[in-house]
Amino acid sequence: MTRSDPSEADSHGVATGLRPAAKGWCPGAHRAMASGDGLLVRVRPQLARLTSAQALGLCALAGRLGSGLIDLTHRANLQLRGVKPDDHGAVVDGLCALGLADADVTREGRPPVLVAPCWQAGDDTEGIAKELLSRLDELPALPPKFGFAVDAGPAPVLAAAPADVRIERARSGGLLVRADGAAAGHPVSRAAAVDAALAMAAWFAATAQRVEPASRRMRGHQRIFSWTDGPQPLEPAADPASLPAPGMSSLGPVYGVPFGQIEAAALAALLRDSGASGLRLTPHRALVLEGGRWCDAVAFITVPGDPLLRVDACPGAPSCASATVATHAVARALASGLAAAGSAAPRSLHVSGCAKGCARARPADATWVGRDGAFDLVRGGCAWDAPVQTRLPPEALCSLIGMP
């Protein structure tokens, strides 16, 4: 990921290939962040799981003290939107009562731990994740977005999800600890996995300041330095597998969430109708209802081939103060146009309210970027890359699907 730079846009505001600096910070429960529609309050459920009672309580909070909208993030977290500053304290109290936030504010600053959603009680993923979560206070200070992934099932499913230190299955069948971006990792025993992951993070903290500007994520840093304290020789990870897709899974029904945003009332209705005992989150905008029965739900994505799954979109205007365009209506129209385009249709689309590209940090086949109420088109790149066309009206976007 390219760091921001004063020359990130030309004199007309057109992106030129350098990602604009993010404003604000990664929100939490105690440390909310202001957006165009109020405060964002982020919830980080342990093991990416909520009980049904916790999920229903969260929906009630979102409806009573927020805008009624809940976001799913790429780290399998949840965000309540539209919280008024005067109501923030009540929201935090409610989250603490539900067991979804810690009364100790300092715990919120610990690195996030992303967990593969298909873990079973007593397996390596659950055991390693619980141990790692209990030992995060052993770490030195790390950059705000630095995090871990525990992905110790039969095959890695979080390869495309954001993380800096990964504990995953090796091709040989054992476990390994791998720096994000590295082709191979250090083989470890189950008992030594957390020790090795913490040691790799501590190495990053000790060496990240040796470059200018200081490294903030592992992917770029490990190209400069090589962690040599881990077990040798290195081993490749097992071939990646897919995250649960909409439909039935071994754990229960799986539903996609268009653009990662859902009305709390719709989620609460689905939980009650399904009879699910719990809710698991995936980093690709999907929900797994533990032990639930299948229910038709028009607000969710229910089939694996739905074109909406190929389109990323941020909240856009007016929800985000940085955006000058509405994004979700445009994204839905583009998704509808994918089927009509047939084999010429791109595999991935991205609609971004501005050049920061918050909804998708990876390149997409086509990215539409809002600027001054119109859109710029980027082919095969990110929202901050130089566009091939500029100032396109929203009604013209669908006609460009499939064009070279």
Side-chain angles (χ1 to χ4, degrees):
M1 185 181 297
T2 308
R3 293 184 174 88
S4 61
D5 184 270
S7 61
E8 64 197 14
D10 65 14
S11 59
H12 301 288
V14 179
T16 57
L18 296 171
R19 190 174 194 179
K23 297 179 180 178
W25 54 86
C26 287
H30 293 277
R31 194 173 183 226
M33 188 176 75
S35 190
D37 56 351
L39 295 180
L40 292 177
V41 180
R42 183 170 295 178
V43 180
R44 302 198 314 196
Q46 289 200 1
L47 303 182
R49 181 187 184 272
L50 300 83
T51 66
S52 183
Q54 287 176 318
L56 289 170
L58 184 73
C59 290
L61 278 177
R64 182 165 55 90
L65 298 175
S67 67
L69 293 176
I70 297 176
D71 293 338
L72 277 68
T73 78
H74 289 300
R75 290 185 186 268
N77 296 324
L78 296 167
Q79 287 182 164
L80 277 64
R81 299 197 67 92
V83 174
K84 295 178 181 178
D86 289 347
D87 291 330
H88 179 222
V91 170
V92 173
D93 289 343
L95 293 174
C96 289
L98 290 168
L100 294 174
D102 197 306
D104 183 350
V105 179
T106 61
R107 295 181 185 274
E108 192 168 275
R110 293 175 178 174
V113 177
L114 181 61
V115 179
C118 292
W119 56 268
Q120 300 284 346
D123 70 4
D124 285 343
T125 296
E126 186 204 32
I128 291 170
K130 284 184 173 180
E131 181 185 349
L132 179 57
L133 286 164
S134 72
R135 297 179 60 187
L136 291 176
D137 58 354
E138 298 177 22
L139 287 167
L142 289 162
K145 292 189 177 183
F146 192 98
F148 298 84
V150 181
D151 195 8
V157 296
L158 300 177
D164 296 273
V165 177
R166 300 177 181 275
I167 303 174
E168 56 194 8
R169 190 64 57 184
R171 191 174 295 171
S172 64
L175 292 170
L176 56 79
V177 173
R178 182 172 66 86
D180 187 45
H186 301 265
V188 292
S189 67
R190 162 65 184 84
V194 173
D195 285 339
L198 294 174
M200 182 180 284
W203 162 83
F204 176 90
T207 58
Q209 305 299 319
R210 297 180 187 174
V211 292
E212 182 62 38
S215 296
R216 300 187 65 80
R217 300 303 300 271
M218 182 70 80
R219 177 170 285 269
H221 185 66
Q222 61 92 23
R223 293 174 187 156
I224 304 168
F225 294 104
S226 176
W227 185 58
T228 57
D229 295 334
Q232 302 291 334
L234 301 182
E235 288 188 23
D239 292 336
S242 298
L243 284 161
M248 288 299 296
S249 75
S250 60
L251 292 171
V254 182
Y255 294 89
V257 177
F259 319 126
Q261 188 173 94
I262 190 63
E263 292 184 2
L267 176 56
L270 180 61
L271 284 165
R272 293 191 185 100
D273 292 346
S274 73
S277 59
L279 175 68
R280 298 196 189 189
L281 312 172
T282 83
H284 75 333
R285 310 186 320 241
L287 308 169
V288 183
L289 304 188
E290 281 185 7
R293 56 182 172 270
W294 181 263
C295 303
D296 290 330
V298 296
F300 296 86
I301 299 171
T302 57
V303 294
D306 194 311
L308 285 170
L309 293 169
R310 292 156 60 184
V311 186
D312 291 291
C314 65
S319 296
C320 178
S322 298
T324 63
V325 293
T327 54
H328 285 189
V330 169
R332 285 186 178 277
L334 289 170
S336 297
L338 287 173
S343 60
R347 295 300 305 168
S348 56
L349 301 179
H350 179 193
V351 183
S352 185
C354 71
K356 289 186 296 183
C358 296
R360 185 184 177 100
R362 310 180 310 280
D365 292 338
T367 298
W368 285 270
V369 185
R371 182 169 60 90
D372 299 331
F375 287 87
D376 296 342
L377 171 61
V378 176
R379 293 284 187 188
C382 299
W384 53 88
D385 289 329
V388 296
Q389 291 180 264
T390 61
R391 301 192 180 280
L392 298 165
E395 57 269 20
L397 303 189
C398 287
S399 65
L400 298 174
I401 291 180
M403 291 179 60

